[in-house]
Amino acid sequence: MKHKNKKIIIALSIVVLLIIFFSIYLSSLNFEVLNPKGIIALQERNLIYLALGLSLFVVIPVYTLLILFAYKYRASNKESDYKPNWDKNAVLETIWWVIPSVLIAVLGYFTWTSSHALDPFKKLSPQSSKNLRIEVVALDWRWLFIYPDQKIATMNYFKMPVNTNVTFYITSSAPMNSFWIPQLAGQIYAMPGMNTELNLSSYQTGIYRGLSANLSGIGFSNMTFNDDVVSTSDFLNWVNNVKASNNALSYQKFLELSKPKVDSSIINFSNVDTSIYVKLINSYMNPVEKYKTNQNLNNPMAM
Amino acid sequence: MSTQNQQFDIHHVSLSELRKEESTSIFENVSFGFFVYLMTDLVLFASLFAVYAVLHKNTAGGPAGYQIFNLNTVLVETLLLLTSSFTTGLTILSLKTKTKKNVYINLFITFLLGLSFLVIELNEFSHLVSIGDSWRVSGFLSSFFTLVGTHGLHISIGLIWMIILAYRLHKTGFGRANIRRFTIFSLFWHFLDVIWIFIFTVVYLMGVTRL
Amino acid sequence: MIYFASFLIGKLNRNAIPSDLMTLGAAVSIVAGLIFGALIITYLHKWKYLWKEWFTSVDHKKIGIMYIIVSVLMLIRGGVDALMLRGQQATSVGIHHGYLSSYTFAQVFSAHGTIMIFFAAMGMMFGIINLVLPLQIGSRDVAFPFMNLTSFWLFFAGMILVNVSLGIGDFSAAGWLAYPPLSELQYSPTVGVDYWIWSLEIAGIGSLLSGVNFFTTILKTRAPGMTLTKMPMFAWSVLCTTSLIIFAFPILTVTLTLLYLDRTMGMHFFTAGAGGNMMMYVNLIWAWGHPEVYILILPAFGIFSEVVATFSHKRLFGYRTMVGALVSITVLSFTVWLHHFFTMGAGADVNGFFGIMTMVIAIPTGVKIFNWLFTMYKGRIKFSQSMLWFFGFVGLFTVGGVAGVILAVPPADFQLHNSLFLVAHFHTMIVGGVLFGYFAGLSYWFPKIFGYKLNEKLGRLTFYLWFIGFLLAFVPLYILGLLGATRRIDHYSASLGWQPLFIIAGVGVLVIASGVFVMILQHVVSFLNRDSLKDKTGDPWNGKTLEWSIPSPAPFYNFATTPIVHSHDFYWDVKNIIKHEPKEINDILMPKNDSNAPIIGITSVFFGFAMVWHIWWLALVSLFVIVAILLKRFNDENPNYLLSADKIVELEENYLIFRQS
């Protein structure tokens, strides 16, 4: 008997030790989803906590009853009551229809309001003209960021000023991707021929990891980029520096650039043709050969 | 439970009697099962209709419905199919007369009507392809050819089915099994008629009126 | 000459043989395994026996066993895929790039998902339904025995096609649901996606036929007196599942066909440009895909309802609310599909609606859990292996449910979608819910089918290995998701510090693999000790439903006399209240074995292969052969034979003697 106790104590201490090591290891990691640096990501994280908290009202009773009943009514315990034909109880059954319904109603309310409040298309400030606009194009397998108001563009990284509302216009010249910067805001799909939008703002300078979250082919794992959030003055300096560089981006050059390639190099462009984004989306509306010349037949519903 | 008390009480039933009983339950099961199958076919067509509804304005520079549809031929097609549905009903009724000739005549008329429908449809398709408006042109034309073509495919299966029915009748006469086969065929043919009414309305009428 | 060759063999050419060593090795080992198996069968002179007694058998119990054997093989194949995936992710960090190329890795995860859902989970589900359902509703067979066998062989044909892709050509690298435009010809020019399409198309038609078959079986062939409200819970769950199949699988058939038309005929359903709409594909595939998840889980719910009541030695608590919950889940499962793509930007109203509908499904699911828990209340719970799977199920399913509720809030989903958190969530539901349920069912009904019980000790060990392995394999994935790791990555930066978590997850897969090994060992050991484990009573667990009222193993004619049912849990009442009456035995008609079905299955493989490689003449010929066989079958005047009452009496008397020995 004593021998057995000793073994249990050793096993337990090994488990405790492992848990301690594991916790130390975990604390060294950056839980990007739970460690937001932007107002959108912050609210999204709070929603995760809220849903988790409300769920506990069901989870805790379930686990408690499971362990309690399994222990108390085990076959070897002949002391406990045995009622083999007790198979219904209107009150109890009503309780577990009603209580989860109430919880879901509460969570449903938050779902509805938060879906509207955190709609990625919704501008963060009413005067949307003051937002910084960035057009994002997912290429095979890189990211291109176009600043239409500054007429510059960057590849595989971008910078934005802190405490500024940024609107991203997102499309793809490749298969579907998903644009995601976990510490600033949730993701949204980047689809060829379509425009999606994402609004966010960061309240702390720093470099945040961005990535494609949707499979797009062999270079998909490589589609990461850095979002460098800097002070406003640093941002303006950087814009001027990029403008001064001598690397223009025309639509022709863009087409050249968008050929499939696994490449994580960082490139700056100045003198950017600001119609690239619209031209790219419209290129998916082109008619087939036979109807190319006959524009009269064009469908009025097309974009 | 004691097994000593258990006894067996044996009953022999004649084979023909059993077969008769069995065929009654098969009759019910097959009719019900076939009805369930038609439900799945309905879901299949519903999906194709949904696809058409999504894509029917995506002409991508190609022609829209009102530019390629000819309501006259479609009206003829509709009349042919409606009449064939009526003659299918006559076929089922004529089964009760137990005269093979009546059944053959009605079935043959139905077959001819169905065949003419198919020929007109194929003619329409080949005309569209020949002027370059094939399924490759746009999402709209892809979904048009697929939806209408799937119905046409069902019609062709129905035509083959009719030949088999005639052969069965010739071989085995007015047995229960054959009555069952005719009944579920008529179910199938009426079903195709209903689908066509929807195609006529959703694809052609709404297409021509540019809805 | 070139034209003739392309007519003869379509797109096939020398390059179809895989060049990378991993794939080639896998293909060679599968072929070697098949040849080895064939040699053993030849050596034992068992071909004729297999063909006569199994491949052509229309006995639903034998068909069920064949389903389960195939699905377990596919579970192992999918498991090896999983091991390869975690092996790559544990080693492909920073400057190291793992042992798989990105393309092979993508094929492996696409195959893993496809095989696990369609051929492991669906196969095991149809296997269990086949084994149990007709017995439970007091029926001699399914409504359409020939169609049932054909369904199995179509399932088998789909399975063969997936595995052929290892050796000839390649498999889809576009994920298990092949979203366009990645799966369109422009981005996936090889035949991989076509293999995916046709294996699912053929297996899917098999599933659809099974759905129609069992739906009809339940509604038309129940024992007299068994009204719907006296039907056992498992039968109810199958009724709900089959009605989902009837409504969902045609959508899959359409979606796959349209994708194939895009790829082959140059149509524009889902292409980027020319009026195609890829968002429509995502909608369609999930309009099938979400009900599919419930198709898998509902029978598991049904199994647990039987297992918990039996091993608590009590009636099931809340029969009415259980049925109500099942039906509401069935209906609601068609109203939630959009939650798989909240991130598509459909707008706040749409997202909000589907988010709320998704949460609403949690209510009936919660009701079921509480009903099971109160079935245990004031019972006498036996901790058998089936019951352990139930405990594991409640433990995991609750966690998975919480993760599901979190994911159902659209803005929270923006942060978790496509992450490993999502992967961990649905594995919790499908392993912890579906698979645990099927395992519970298999050990529960095993004696009814084979006549002996499974070894308990090894069964429990199996459970513990699966449970611990599951936690090791998927808790790290929950954590990784919160760290911002996406699914399907074959490489990541070392500075992120994720490697230890991926290694733990890999170890978890190894522990699960050992669980599979012990499970196989359990069957071997139980078979060797089958005499001491023999089930003489036909009712080893003190069951409540009709299948326990007949001998074990169940005779091929199921019931000597058709039972007349007066209540639900009827057999429970029979044993406790009503006295046994003498049996009145009649002659019965039995369906004959049918060699048409396996031939249809084999021809379907050729048809699928021809469609994949554009060998049009072969496609036409195989289609013609299939139609011809069907016509031949339908013109068969006497597809059944007479089983005389004397023979039945002889068999039943033998059983009584055996019982007293």
Side-chain angles (χ1 to χ4, degrees):
Chain A
M1 197 62 199
K2 234 180 180 179
H3 198 64
K4 206 179 172 189
N5 279 344
K6 214 173 178 184
K7 263 187 185 168
I8 290 174
I9 289 170
I10 291 172
L12 271 181
S13 27
I14 289 175
V15 169
V16 170
L17 222 62
L18 279 177
I19 291 175
I20 291 172
F21 277 132
F22 194 60
S23 317
I24 293 171
Y25 158 64
L26 285 185
S27 64
S28 74
L29 299 172
N30 180 12
F31 281 80
E32 293 179 2
V33 172
L34 304 179
N35 183 20
K37 300 292 181 201
I39 49 169
I40 299 290
L42 177 69
Q43 295 175 66
E44 287 170 344
R45 185 206 57 187
N46 292 345
L47 272 173
I48 294 177
Y49 286 158
L50 174 78
L52 180 67
L54 282 174
S55 304
L56 289 182
F57 283 99
V58 175
V59 173
I60 292 171
V62 166
Y63 278 156
T64 316
L65 292 179
L66 180 71
I67 293 166
L68 187 74
F69 289 173
Y71 178 74
K72 189 162 180 211
Y73 300 108
R74 64 192 189 276
S76 56
N77 181 13
K78 303 288 181 203
E79 311 276 285
S80 63
D81 281 353
Y82 178 50
K83 285 190 177 170
N85 290 327
W86 184 76
D87 67 351
K88 54 177 172 284
N89 183 315
V91 178
L92 282 175
E93 287 170 60
T94 316
I95 287 174
W96 50 75
W97 277 101
V98 169
I99 290 185
S101 303
V102 171
L103 289 174
I104 295 299
V106 174
L107 195 54
Y109 168 77
F110 285 108
T111 301
W112 187 259
T113 49
S114 68
S115 293
H116 287 81
L118 298 173
D119 183 6
F121 286 79
K122 197 179 146 200
K123 304 279 182 292
L124 291 180
S125 53
Q127 310 107 311
S128 55
S129 59
K130 283 192 177 167
N131 288 356
L132 174 65
R133 300 195 298 159
I134 303 178
E135 292 164 348
V136 182
V137 183
L139 309 174
D140 254 347
W141 289 275
R142 289 145 296 159
W143 290 97
L144 181 68
F145 301 92
I146 302 171
Y147 293 70
D149 301 323
Q150 286 76 14
K151 298 202 170 181
I152 59 169
T154 58
M155 173 119 51
N156 288 330
Y157 89 107
F158 71 97
K159 293 199 186 206
M160 59 179 248
V162 72
N163 289 326
T164 307
N165 299 333
V166 186
T167 302
F168 294 91
Y169 299 87
I170 302 158
T171 192
S172 170
S173 78
M176 192 163 87
N177 280 281
S178 194
F179 179 74
W180 187 24
I181 309 166
Q183 287 187 278
L184 297 187
Q187 65 196 284
I188 191 154
Y189 284 160
M191 296 172 281
M194 259 164 279
N195 171 63
T196 49
E197 292 173 26
L198 180 66
N199 288 278
L200 57 80
S201 169
S202 173
Y203 50 70
Q204 195 176 321
T205 57
I207 296 177
Y208 305 115
R209 193 176 65 98
L211 61 148
S212 169
N214 197 69
L215 175 70
S216 56
I218 54 166
F220 151 72
S221 304
N222 216 41
M223 282 183 75
T224 55
F225 59 87
N226 279 334
D227 171 10
D228 195 354
V229 178
V230 294
S231 68
T232 315
S233 57
D234 283 355
F235 177 73
L236 291 175
N237 282 339
W238 172 78
V239 168
N240 286 330
N241 279 340
V242 175
K243 272 184 177 167
S245 70
N246 198 11
N247 191 9
L249 184 64
S250 62
Y251 188 63
Q252 208 53 43
K253 195 170 171 193
F254 166 78
L255 291 180
E256 199 59 36
L257 205 65
S258 60
K259 286 183 181 153
K261 192 177 174 193
V262 180
D263 177 13
S264 47
S265 57
I266 285 169
I267 311 173
N268 292 332
F269 298 98
S270 55
N271 265 330
V272 173
D273 175 358
T274 50
S275 67
I276 287 177
Y277 188 81
V278 176
K279 273 186 186 160
L280 172 65
I281 291 183
N282 283 341
S283 71
Y284 288 98
M285 312 293 165
N286 284 347
V288 292
E289 214 53 52
K290 182 191 167 193
Y291 290 99
K292 275 221 168 111
T293 48
N294 192 353
Q295 290 299 316
N296 295 338
L297 276 176
N298 248 348
N299 174 15
M301 288 307 293
M303 246 179 86
Chain B
M1 237 184 310
S2 153
T3 51
Q4 256 81 3
N5 308 337
Q6 205 146 6
Q7 288 157 2
F8 294 116
D9 189 0
I10 302 174
H11 286 262
H12 284 293
V13 195
S14 81
L15 188 59
S16 62
E17 212 174 305
L18 255 185
R19 285 243 157 91
K20 205 173 162 193
E21 198 181 295
E22 185 82 1
S23 96
T24 313
S25 75
I26 285 181
F27 193 99
E28 276 183 17
N29 290 355
V30 170
S31 308
F32 183 81
F34 192 77
F35 189 76
V36 177
Y37 155 74
L38 281 187
M39 288 298 103
T40 71
D41 227 11
L42 191 69
V43 179
L44 186 133
F45 275 109
S47 313
L48 287 173
F49 273 109
V51 168
Y52 181 81
V54 172
L55 295 183
H56 77 287
K57 283 184 172 159
N58 296 8
T59 49
Y66 67 90
Q67 290 160 314
I68 52 169
F69 295 155
N70 181 352
L71 260 197
N72 292 338
T73 43
V74 182
L75 205 62
V76 173
E77 285 179 284
T78 309
L79 286 176
L80 286 172
L81 215 54
L82 284 179
T83 320
S84 80
S85 222
F86 175 68
T87 54
T88 317
L90 289 183
T91 315
I92 299 300
L93 284 180
S94 60
L95 282 174
K96 291 196 175 135
T97 66
K98 304 261 178 203
T99 353
K100 283 187 183 175
K101 203 178 128 195
N102 291 346
V103 183
Y104 285 140
I105 290 174
N106 283 320
L107 197 63
F108 187 64
I109 295 172
T110 314
F111 183 85
L112 277 188
L113 290 168
L115 190 66
S116 333
F117 170 87
L118 203 62
V119 168
I120 295 176
E121 184 165 274
L122 287 176
N123 196 36
E124 186 196 0
F125 280 11
S126 67
H127 169 72
L128 284 178
V129 173
S130 70
I131 61 168
D133 292 335
S134 78
W135 49 81
R136 291 169 177 273
V137 171
S138 65
F140 156 65
L141 281 170
S142 302
S143 60
F144 164 76
F145 276 101
T146 307
L147 171 59
V148 181
T150 306
H151 178 264
L153 195 68
H154 278 72
I155 293 281
S156 341
I157 291 168
L159 293 179
I160 298 171
W161 197 344
M162 278 189 248
I163 298 172
I164 295 160
L165 282 178
Y167 169 75
R168 298 277 333 157
L169 186 67
H170 167 72
K171 238 190 128 184
T172 53
F174 293 92
R176 254 199 108 99
N178 278 348
I179 307 276
R180 182 188 83 222
R181 290 185 170 101
F182 273 91
T183 317
I184 60 173
F185 167 75
S186 79
L187 212 59
F188 180 72
W189 200 255
H190 292 314
F191 168 76
L192 291 185
D193 214 27
V194 174
I195 296 293
W196 179 257
I197 300 292
F198 277 99
I199 290 179
F200 178 66
T201 316
V202 173
V203 176
Y204 291 103
L205 280 183
M206 288 170 78
V208 169
T209 52
R210 306 189 196 186
L211 271 171
Chain C
M1 193 58 204
I2 290 168
Y3 287 115
F4 181 69
S6 80
F7 168 76
L8 205 62
I9 57 170
K11 285 162 76 182
L12 259 178
N13 59 43
R14 225 154 30 89
N15 299 334
I17 306 297
S19 51
D20 79 300
L21 273 172
M22 287 304 300
T23 324
L24 198 63
V28 168
S29 54
I30 283 192
V31 172
L34 282 178
I35 292 175
F36 183 68
L39 281 178
I40 286 184
I41 296 169
T42 315
Y43 177 74
L44 296 170
H45 299 290
K46 289 288 184 194
W47 280 113
K48 202 173 171 191
Y49 162 76
L50 279 177
W51 179 262
K52 280 185 79 172
E53 294 295 320
W54 291 90
F55 298 163
T56 60
S57 168
V58 289
D59 183 349
H60 64 90
K61 298 173 285 298
K62 284 184 173 168
I63 294 174
I65 292 168
M66 291 196 287
Y67 264 116
I68 285 167
I69 289 172
V70 173
S71 69
V72 167
L73 287 176
M74 286 300 102
L75 184 72
I76 293 169
R77 153 94 215 259
V80 172
D81 287 342
L83 209 53
M84 286 170 77
L85 297 174
R86 292 287 171 262
Q88 166 80 3
Q89 288 175 324
T91 53
S92 178
V93 193
I95 53 165
H96 304 287
H97 274 269
Y99 65 107
L100 293 174
S101 70
S102 295
Y103 189 66
T104 313
F105 183 80
Q107 286 184 63
V108 175
F109 67 66
S110 306
H112 169 77
T114 308
I115 286 176
M116 284 303 201
I117 293 290
F118 284 91
F119 299 105
M122 283 298 271
M124 210 173 277
M125 180 191 87
F126 280 126
I128 294 173
I129 294 178
N130 261 298
L131 291 181
V132 180
L133 183 88
L135 298 178
Q136 205 170 46
I137 61 172
S139 171
R140 279 246 157 73
D141 207 328
V142 297
F144 310 113
F146 163 68
M147 195 158 101
N148 195 18
L149 186 62
T150 311
S151 291
F152 167 75
W153 282 106
L154 290 175
F155 163 80
F156 188 83
M159 183 279 285
I160 291 288
L161 264 188
V162 172
N163 287 295
V164 164
S165 75
L166 266 179
I168 309 173
D170 56 0
F171 194 66
S172 167
W176 82 280
L177 283 185
Y179 278 14
L182 184 59
S183 56
E184 291 282 0
L185 204 57
Q186 184 188 358
Y187 297 106
S188 299
T190 63
V191 292
V193 176
D194 299 309
Y195 266 117
W196 180 80
I197 290 174
W198 283 101
S199 57
L200 297 200
E201 192 87 288
I202 292 171
I205 288 172
S207 305
L208 185 59
L209 292 179
S210 284
V212 173
N213 202 345
F214 284 103
F215 189 73
T216 313
T217 305
I218 295 178
L219 289 184
K220 284 281 163 192
T221 71
R222 290 192 312 275
M226 186 185 275
T227 56
L228 283 179
T229 50
K230 287 177 189 143
M231 209 161 69
M233 237 21 235
F234 177 71
W236 258 109
S237 73
V238 177
L239 182 65
C240 291
T241 282
T242 49
S243 51
L244 282 177
I245 290 176
I246 287 165
F247 282 102
F249 268 78
I251 308 178
L252 177 71
T253 308
V254 167
T255 313
L256 295 172
T257 310
L258 299 187
L259 184 61
Y260 185 71
L261 289 173
D262 268 7
R263 291 174 57 85
T264 316
M265 307 268 289
M267 291 200 182
H268 295 288
F269 287 106
F270 313 123
T271 52
N277 187 338
M278 62 189 152
M279 296 187 292
M280 183 173 66
Y281 177 92
V282 181
N283 272 288
L284 283 170
I285 200 81
W286 282 114
W288 157 80
H290 198 82
E292 163 69 9
V293 183
Y294 285 93
I295 289 169
L296 294 175
I297 195 73
L298 290 184
F301 285 173
I303 291 168
F304 284 131
S305 297
E306 306 290 344
V307 165
V308 175
T310 305
F311 290 105
S312 304
H313 297 282
K314 260 189 75 192
R315 283 183 194 276
L316 180 68
F317 184 82
Y319 179 88
R320 271 163 188 279
T321 40
M322 279 308 221
V323 173
L326 263 182
V327 174
S328 23
I329 292 173
T330 306
V331 173
L332 286 172
S333 71
F334 275 102
T335 62
V336 300
W337 80 89
L338 195 125
H339 70 215
H340 295 272
F341 45 96
F342 283 143
T343 52
M344 196 170 259
D349 288 342
V350 176
N351 280 357
F353 171 78
F354 280 95
I356 291 172
M357 291 316 286
T358 306
M359 293 171 186
V360 169
I361 270 204
I363 300 171
T365 315
V367 167
K368 294 192 80 72
I369 298 228
F370 280 110
N371 277 343
W372 287 320
L373 289 178
F374 274 81
T375 303
M376 288 159 50
Y377 178 70
K378 296 197 175 174
R380 287 265 184 270
I381 303 164
K382 197 174 160 233
F383 288 74
S384 66
Q385 46 183 325
S386 305
M387 202 61 190
L388 285 186
W389 291 113
F390 170 73
F391 289 134
F393 156 78
V394 176
L396 293 181
F397 205 73
T398 313
V399 173
V402 171
V405 167
I406 295 173
L407 285 162
V409 186
D413 178 74
F414 297 160
Q415 282 286 31
L416 298 168
H417 182 58
N418 271 347
S419 74
L420 286 170
F421 185 91
L422 172 80
V423 173
H425 158 70
F426 70 69
H427 279 86
T428 313
M429 302 319 245
I430 291 190
V431 178
V434 173
L435 218 50
F436 280 19
Y438 295 171
F439 288 160
L442 286 178
S443 49
Y444 177 60
W445 280 301
F446 192 86
K448 181 49 60 193
I449 304 305
F450 291 95
Y452 59 93
K453 291 186 265 189
L454 284 173
N455 183 304
E456 273 290 329
K457 237 182 189 168
L458 287 172
R460 285 180 207 177
L461 183 59
T462 309
F463 166 75
Y464 290 122
L465 287 171
W466 268 88
F467 190 73
I468 292 166
F470 182 87
L471 291 179
L472 283 175
F474 291 99
V475 170
L477 295 201
Y478 278 114
I479 296 171
L480 278 163
L482 296 174
L483 290 166
T486 47
R487 68 199 292 198
R488 293 165 174 168
I489 44 168
D490 56 62
H491 180 254
Y492 49 93
S493 154
S495 62
L496 293 164
W498 295 346
Q499 193 177 18
L501 286 166
F502 275 117
I503 292 175
I504 296 173
V507 171
V509 180
L510 283 174
V511 176
I512 294 178
S514 66
V516 175
F517 175 75
V518 175
M519 194 176 247
I520 294 167
L521 189 71
Q522 179 200 21
H523 280 81
V524 175
V525 170
S526 310
F527 177 74
L528 295 176
N529 296 321
R530 61 189 178 282
D531 286 334
S532 59
L533 290 166
K534 196 142 262 175
D535 167 30
K536 284 185 177 175
T537 58
D539 182 20
W541 322 117
N542 190 11
K544 299 166 196 328
T545 38
L546 288 177
E547 72 268 29
W548 304 112
S549 69
I550 54 171
S552 296
F556 61 95
Y557 48 80
N558 289 0
F559 293 88
T561 54
T562 302
I564 296 164
V565 177
H566 301 290
S567 63
H568 81 85
D569 289 351
F570 179 60
Y571 187 54
W572 173 267
D573 293 338
V574 167
K575 284 185 290 190
N576 296 323
I577 307 162
I578 306 164
K579 255 197 90 185
H580 234 274
E581 286 156 20
K583 289 183 174 179
E584 223 178 74
I585 292 185
N586 293 327
D587 296 338
I588 44 179
L589 271 183
M590 295 292 294
K592 279 183 202 158
N593 280 4
D594 200 307
S595 58
N596 297 311
I599 297 174
I600 290 177
I602 292 159
T603 321
S604 306
V605 176
F606 285 105
F607 176 72
F609 188 79
M611 294 302 271
V612 168
W613 289 100
H614 298 185
I615 312 172
W616 304 122
W617 66 267
L618 182 60
L620 272 177
V621 169
S622 359
L623 203 60
F624 182 77
V625 170
I626 291 172
V627 172
I629 294 171
L630 283 177
L631 289 184
K632 178 179 152 246
R633 175 60 177 64
F634 290 144
N635 282 314
D636 189 351
E637 283 301 308
N638 295 315
N640 39 36
Y641 68 94
L642 186 80
L643 182 66
S644 80
D646 304 321
K647 179 75 185 161
I648 300 174
V649 166
E650 188 191 321
L651 290 166
E652 293 281 307
E653 267 166 358
N654 284 347
Y655 171 66
L656 290 181
I657 294 163
F658 162 73
R659 212 167 146 169
Q660 283 162 331
S661 69

